[in-house]
Amino acid sequence: MLNIVICEDDKIWLHSLTKIIQNIIEKNNLEAQIVLKSTNIEKVREFLKNNSANVFFLDIDFNAEKSGYALASEIRQSNVSAYIIFITAYLEYLMLAFKVQAFDFLPKPVTSEILEATLMNISENYINHKHLSSQPHKLNIKMGTSISSINTSDIVLIEKVASKTVIHLVNNDQKACRHPLEYLESKLPSNHYIRCHRAFIVNKKFIEEINTKENLIFLETGFSCPIGGKYKKNLLKHYSYI
């Protein structure tokens, strides 16, 4: 079940968002419900002490510097799989959305069509995640005369180096094979991994920052990799930048 919290400091916007989201839930028969709507982030904090939620529509500003971001940071620390969606007129806060791994960033005024697309994406992702979490995901690769089985959740980055493909893992280990990136990409769950360059595939959960000026992705593990022009539009779609 998707338990939705809406926190918006403008009462008119809060009422509008609540009404639109409720209509979308009913129209698409989504397994979802609004559990809290408020103009006060402190009420959200109090609510979460004794209740659970996994979808958060947040205004990142709240008339106080970065307070919406602070709330999002707290949510992310306690719930690594929460869906955080920023709805704001302050586009300069976009990079903050990456730091808390926001699912979406919607500039005001947001339309019902955009909200519906976002909720449908969340629902699909949630269903896929439940399916994926119910069974271990393995990637089998051929290494010389042997076959190695890797937990896909341990993969941070895959890169093409000359004639080899190098798989970087969370424990700083590496696996080298000769499988094309296209083959490995087809074997990975698309909701967790993304092609960002002709020579790179990244695990989205490790993305810390996307620098669109320098066309670089910085990962939590210290790795960085380039963004290819061919893949940039698709990459940024995941964060509603375009």
Side-chain angles (χ1 to χ4, degrees):
M1 171 72 75
L2 296 176
N3 293 319
I4 301 170
V5 168
I6 307 169
C7 198
E8 160 64 54
D9 69 339
D10 186 297
K11 290 183 178 180
I12 295 176
W13 260 107
L14 178 64
H15 176 76
S16 178
L17 288 172
T18 302
K19 185 176 180 180
I20 293 171
I21 289 172
Q22 185 59 46
N23 287 340
I24 292 169
I25 291 171
E26 294 173 2
K27 171 186 173 183
N28 296 282
N29 196 27
L30 298 181
E31 190 178 333
Q33 60 181 348
I34 298 171
V35 294
L36 178 69
K37 57 177 181 178
S38 178
T39 58
N40 190 324
I41 62 173
E42 292 304 325
K43 287 186 178 181
V44 177
R45 290 190 173 104
E46 287 299 315
F47 176 83
L48 293 177
K49 287 180 180 179
N50 300 302
N51 301 275
S52 62
N54 51 10
V55 181
F56 298 86
F57 286 90
L58 305 176
D59 183 336
I60 202 172
D61 185 60
F62 287 103
N63 293 323
E65 187 178 1
K66 297 184 182 179
S67 62
Y69 171 68
L71 175 61
S73 297
E74 294 168 19
I75 292 169
R76 177 58 68 222
Q77 288 174 10
S78 62
N79 189 343
V80 295
S81 60
Y83 298 95
I84 299 173
I85 304 93
F86 288 125
I87 301 179
T88 181
Y90 299 91
L91 298 182
E92 62 268 28
Y93 290 146
L94 176 63
M95 298 317 298
L96 295 179
F98 292 118
K99 292 184 178 295
V100 294
Q101 299 177 357
F103 185 83
D104 221 333
F105 187 97
L106 309 179
K108 290 180 180 177
V110 63
T111 66
S112 59
E113 290 79 12
I114 291 175
L115 278 171
E116 182 168 13
T118 297
L119 273 171
M120 295 305 291
N121 286 338
I122 290 172
S123 180
E124 180 181 1
N125 184 279
Y126 178 71
I127 292 170
N128 288 340
H129 180 74
K130 284 202 302 183
H131 174 70
L132 289 171
S133 61
S134 67
Q135 54 184 330
H137 261 260
K138 297 282 188 177
L139 177 66
N140 297 322
I141 60 170
K142 188 174 182 181
M143 303 172 61
T145 58
S146 64
I147 296 176
S148 180
S149 184
I150 302 171
N151 287 325
T152 58
S153 60
D154 291 337
I155 298 173
V156 176
L157 175 73
I158 304 175
E159 65 172 322
K160 190 72 174 177
V161 182
S163 62
K164 292 185 178 181
T165 300
V166 180
I167 302 173
H168 298 271
L169 305 173
V170 289
N171 57 4
N172 292 320
D173 192 12
Q174 296 181 1
K175 302 286 186 182
C177 63
R178 294 189 180 275
H179 294 299
L181 281 185
E182 289 74 17
Y183 170 80
L184 296 178
E185 185 178 15
S186 70
K187 298 298 180 181
L188 294 168
S190 60
N191 57 326
H192 291 286
Y193 298 85
I194 192 163
R195 186 80 171 266
C196 63
H197 187 274
R198 62 182 177 82
F200 289 91
I201 299 172
V202 296
N203 187 333
K204 291 190 285 188
K205 76 176 181 180
F206 290 108
I207 293 177
E208 184 175 62
E209 179 182 347
I210 297 178
N211 188 317
T212 56
K213 183 177 180 180
E214 300 295 332
N215 286 324
L216 286 172
I217 293 176
F218 296 94
L219 305 178
E220 294 176 0
T221 57
F223 284 114
S224 65
C225 63
I227 301 170
K230 177 182 176 181
Y231 304 92
K232 186 174 183 178
K233 184 176 181 180
N234 182 57
L235 172 70
L236 295 180
K237 270 185 179 179
H238 289 268
Y239 301 95
S240 289
Y241 185 74
I242 53 176

